[in-house]
Amino acid sequence: MPARRKTDRRRSTVPPWDVELDLSIGWLSNRTDEAMRSEWERYRDYMLEQNAIDHPGGRPYAWWVFDRDMPAPWIHDQADALHEMGEMGADEMAAVRKLWAGAPSAPKFMQESACQ
């Protein structure tokens, strides 16, 4: 009898690519809101972890809809919205500052803190 391979427990927390896309940028599929809420509850931790790595100063579309019950701001405006809401910790703010350093279109909160 062949030896059983060990399964990676993390694999079950990684959404299929189409679900990840829907949760990240909005409903591109024909999933219902109820189905998307269920997918968000299942994959929320993974999505937020990946987002913190790939897009500091932003949140997945589903976070805005399901966790905050509000429309998602334009991606460029999310850092300022999160800053105003008190949702960014010091590490994330540092990552945003590093990402946008020297950019003329940096988030407003960075421009305001530079003037003070």
Side-chain angles (χ1 to χ4, degrees):
M1 185 150 112
R4 277 189 124 163
R5 290 188 348 193
K6 214 176 186 181
T7 58
D8 184 356
R9 291 184 189 266
R10 293 180 312 156
R11 186 171 295 258
S12 64
T13 63
V14 176
W17 70 270
D18 56 334
V19 172
E20 186 170 356
L21 193 61
D22 281 349
L23 294 173
S24 293
I25 63 173
W27 291 212
L28 300 177
S29 67
N30 61 355
R31 288 181 182 85
T32 64
D33 289 353
E34 294 79 24
M36 290 308 299
R37 179 179 295 279
S38 176
E39 298 288 13
W40 177 245
E41 289 171 3
R42 180 176 181 187
Y43 298 116
R44 182 183 186 279
D45 291 342
Y46 169 84
M47 295 297 298
L48 289 173
E49 183 179 305
Q50 287 303 117
N51 198 83
I53 295 166
D54 298 335
H55 306 288
R59 297 292 183 274
Y61 183 85
W63 182 86
W64 296 97
V65 174
F66 297 124
D67 287 10
R68 290 292 171 219
D69 194 28
M70 62 186 287
W74 182 252
I75 190 73
H76 186 269
D77 298 329
Q78 287 189 15
D80 284 321
L82 292 167
H83 182 261
E84 289 173 17
M85 295 164 66
E87 286 289 339
M88 283 199 299
D91 290 345
E92 186 174 16
M93 287 180 72
V96 170
R97 284 189 170 95
K98 182 178 179 182
L99 181 67
W100 288 95
S105 60
K108 290 177 187 155
F109 81 87
M110 287 178 55
Q111 297 167 10
E112 292 166 0
S113 64
C115 295
Q116 294 175 1

